[in-house]
Amino acid sequence: GGGICSDISGREEEKEEEEEEEAEWALQLDEVIAGVSVGSSHIELHEVGHKALWVLSSAKPGFGVEHLRDGDMDTYWQSDGQQPHTIDITFPQQLYLHSLALYLDVKRDESYTPTRIALAYGTSAQDREPHSTVELTAPAGWVTIHLIKEGGRPLFTNFLQIGVLAMHQNGKDTHIRQVEVMAAKESSYPISPLQRFTSVEFLQYQTIR
């Protein structure tokens, strides 16, 4: 009998330690996010779109995915299919995604300009959940959308979907001129105990280069 009791109490202690560690990590993370919201300089953001695989729901020939990432505001992706028009962005590892920036121009794109965008995230296009829906009124220039979950947490994910649900003047297809994805550098955020690798073998794979 005594052996079983001590085993159970040992497990409970372990569980308590894990919960304390998780709570401490969550507190650290909250402090970091508070720092972001007041513009603290210790959070370093970098553009991570070049690390991802980009897949479009459709594209008019000559107006494909390369134009979303070419740094040229005069080129654009043009969809050529059924709505909603989607951009699937898949990273090789989970990242703390901070914000998304889209370059839109209602003056040049008129009825092709997005006016309602839905964001989703998850592990893949088949396994995703909604994040937010954003309404846009006559966008002309960079539009920034913050990728924050309920409770102020950043979006820790490896998959992001941009869905264009509606266009200016009830247009059918869409134009997006540029897309950038900003993430916090890994050193900016505490690592969750659930994601902390300890063995040398795992440490080699902690960062995919």
Side-chain angles (χ1 to χ4, degrees):
I4 294 168
C5 280
S6 62
D7 187 43
I8 290 168
S9 63
R11 280 206 301 270
E12 282 175 355
E13 277 177 25
E14 272 181 37
K15 191 180 176 192
E16 278 176 20
E17 280 176 20
E18 281 177 17
E19 284 173 357
E20 281 174 17
E21 199 174 24
E22 271 290 303
E24 188 183 334
W25 170 74
L27 188 64
Q28 286 177 22
L29 193 55
D30 288 340
E31 286 171 1
V32 167
I33 295 157
V36 171
S37 65
V38 297
S40 172
S41 59
H42 70 267
I43 296 300
E44 285 188 79
L45 297 178
H46 58 153
E47 207 285 322
V48 292
H50 60 280
K51 296 181 177 181
L53 173 69
W54 296 67
V55 178
L56 306 175
S57 55
S58 67
K60 184 180 176 183
F63 297 87
V65 69
E66 65 278 5
H67 295 306
L68 289 173
R69 301 286 306 162
D70 60 6
D72 186 347
M73 310 308 167
D74 293 326
T75 65
Y76 50 84
W77 162 52
Q78 180 174 321
S79 63
D80 188 22
Q82 296 287 317
Q83 295 180 26
H85 307 303
T86 59
I87 304 170
D88 290 353
I89 308 168
T90 307
F91 295 95
Q93 69 188 97
Q94 289 180 304
L95 297 171
Y96 287 106
L97 299 182
H98 175 271
S99 51
L100 185 69
L102 309 176
Y103 193 87
L104 308 172
D105 192 344
V106 70
K107 292 170 188 169
R108 287 193 282 180
D109 297 325
E110 300 181 336
S111 66
Y112 289 91
T113 309
T115 55
R116 187 181 306 123
I117 289 174
L119 300 179
Y121 68 100
T123 55
S124 69
Q126 290 72 43
D127 177 27
R128 68 185 191 278
E129 55 183 291
H131 175 274
S132 57
T133 302
V134 181
E135 302 284 341
L136 304 170
T137 306
W142 286 103
V143 174
T144 301
I145 302 167
H146 288 278
L147 301 172
I148 302 295
K149 288 178 69 178
E150 283 180 30
R153 293 289 174 91
L155 201 56
F156 188 63
T157 188
N158 68 300
F159 175 80
L160 189 64
Q161 183 181 77
I162 303 168
V164 182
L165 306 183
M167 273 65 64
H168 187 57
Q169 297 168 342
N170 296 315
K172 296 287 184 283
D173 278 299
T174 197
H175 286 179
I176 296 179
R177 291 178 178 266
Q178 293 291 297
V179 180
E180 291 190 351
V181 186
M182 302 303 292
K185 288 191 174 178
E186 287 174 25
S187 58
S188 299
Y189 284 95
I191 298 171
S192 161
L194 301 175
Q195 295 141 358
R196 199 175 284 142
F197 299 138
T198 51
S199 75
V200 174
E201 188 182 350
F202 272 97
L203 283 171
Q204 291 171 2
Y205 299 103
Q206 195 165 351
T207 305
I208 298 169
R209 298 193 185 283

